[in-house]
Amino acid sequence: IKSTPSSIKIIAINDASTDAEVSDVLNSFAEVQNLDVYTNDDNLGFSGTVNRGFSLANKTDVIILNSDTVVSPGWVSNLKIKAYSNPKIATVTPLSNNAGPFSVAKQSSSRDSNHIQKLLNSIDCTEHFEKIQEMPTGHGFCLYIKSKAFEIVGYFDQANFPRGYGEENDFCMRLKKKQLINTIDTKTYVYHAEAA
């Protein structure tokens, strides 16, 4: 909330968690104007819950953001600038400490996020948003998806990937088959604890 502009709608979904603390944490943010909290009646799994979020976003661009991440100021605008730097781009993944091929600063902690982002911001890289580093897939820990991607290939395949792990790869490969691009934003860093 601190690092996300108030003009950005945040959708948080409790996937019918049996842990009462999840509801308590989400309810503690009830006063935040741009945050809408939803609770699934039944556990839908990761892919089903994300698909519900896509639907709730009502045909706008979305960013999937795992609950075990830490973002820094400017993260939304950087990802959006990169996404719209080329009409063929469909998805954008930021750098992270823990995101497979998108990983840098692997020994960093969540406290280092702002420092790493400030370092990236200080590097004068005027051609950054003009260059496209085409990736075979994006990474679902933090993935900017342009709304046109859903129009072209639909949502995640929750039948074949109900629990997560592989659903974003399948989604990105379907986009690639339609000659759309998955890229990386090397000016944005999002910390990822993974499996936390």
Side-chain angles (χ1 to χ4, degrees), residues 12 16 23 25 36 39 67 69 95 117 137 139 148 152 169 183 196:
S23 293
V25 168
D36 293 338
T39 300
S67 58
T69 56
L95 294 175
Q117 188 60 60
T137 185
H139 197 296
K148 73 173 183 180
I152 294 169
N169 296 347
T183 191

Side-chain angles (χ1 to χ4, degrees), residues 147-188:
S147 60
K148 73 173 183 180
F150 303 124
E151 295 168 19
I152 294 169
V153 300
Y155 294 162
F156 284 176
D157 180 352
Q158 68 188 70
N160 289 307
F161 302 95
R163 305 217 74 46
Y165 297 103
E167 75 290 335
E168 80 270 41
N169 296 347
D170 170 73
F171 178 77
C172 290
M173 294 293 183
R174 286 187 277 138
L175 290 167
K176 197 171 163 74
K177 282 185 179 178
K178 299 290 186 179
Q179 281 73 54
L180 293 174
I181 295 170
N182 305 296
T183 191
I184 183 171
D185 178 12
T186 56
K187 288 286 275 184
T188 305

